[in-house]
Amino acid sequence: RPDALRLIYRESGPPESMLAIANRERALCGAPPQGVSPVSLWRHRMECRLADLVVVWSRASAERFLEAGYPEAKLRIIPPGVDRRPRARPGRARRFRALFVASDPFRKGTRTLFEAWARVQAADAELICVTSRQLFASPLLVRALMEQPTIRWQPFTSHREFQRLYDDI
């Protein structure tokens, strides 16, 4: 249907911008840089050019598109949402637990989080870090995991197991 509204959804900014951010952080963490194939870049540009609207989920993502020259009128922000009410667990005094989830541990600021966690020095707290195995490409992040026993790395799991972890935390 030529009159149908064509939407494309992007969780973050343009690949070039996201790659630059991730590789800057990878360098700070001592991890090797990554690349994006020319055909992937071409495909992304073509999809966004042909779309009537590019839907992103945060102002930061929209700003990356604006910096890359995309028109503001073509961008829409629809934040992610979840309507999960964790089950109450009365009578269980528990220590503070935090959950960090990142598909790209470099672009999402794992180094900064680990540095902040080390400053807090909360022996009675736990940080569960659910990320890809890319994290282990960084000697700096591996050392932080080894030096901070209150940080626990966990690989991605099934949706059902993740929901249990989310509810537990």
Side-chain angles (χ1 to χ4, degrees):
R1 290 190 34 212
D3 61 330
L5 187 64
R6 295 171 303 223
L7 303 173
I8 189 157
Y9 171 73
R10 295 289 188 242
E11 289 182 5
S12 54
E16 305 96 315
S17 302
M18 299 299 92
L19 185 64
I21 291 167
N23 281 337
R24 232 182 356 257
E25 191 61 25
R26 283 175 160 277
L28 292 171
C29 292
Q34 284 191 321
V36 175
S37 71
V39 73
S40 292
L41 294 175
W42 172 84
R43 179 181 170 181
H44 168 81
R45 286 185 195 120
M46 185 61 70
E47 288 171 343
C48 288
R49 186 176 69 76
L50 293 173
D52 295 311
L53 294 174
V54 177
V55 177
V56 296
W57 67 357
S58 72
R59 184 71 202 154
S61 295
E63 288 172 9
R64 299 297 85 72
F65 275 97
L66 292 171
E67 290 167 1
Y70 288 80
E72 189 169 5
K74 197 170 189 170
L75 298 171
R76 294 293 183 277
I77 301 169
I78 301 177
V82 64
D83 186 17
R84 294 200 35 85
R85 292 175 179 86
R87 293 166 292 191
R89 297 193 176 148
R92 284 180 68 184
R94 301 183 62 188
R95 65 184 182 160
F96 175 76
R97 296 174 77 202
L99 176 64
F100 174 72
V101 182
S103 57
D104 181 336
F106 299 101
R107 186 170 52 84
K108 296 295 183 171
T110 306
R111 177 186 56 86
T112 304
L113 176 64
F114 284 8
E115 288 172 359
W117 193 262
R119 285 187 186 150
V120 171
Q121 295 183 4
D124 59 339
E126 181 181 29
L127 171 62
I128 292 93
C129 186
V130 180
T131 68
S132 69
R133 294 188 190 313
Q134 288 183 36
L135 180 119
F136 297 106
S138 165
L140 182 84
L141 297 179
V142 170
R143 185 170 46 256
L145 283 171
M146 293 171 60
E147 292 173 353
Q148 298 183 66
T150 59
I151 299 176
R152 187 182 90 209
W153 176 80
Q154 180 173 320
F156 292 112
T157 62
S158 71
H159 183 70
R160 179 174 282 146
E161 287 178 33
F162 180 75
Q163 283 180 336
R164 270 193 289 258
L165 175 65
Y166 186 89
D167 287 343
D168 192 45
I169 292 173

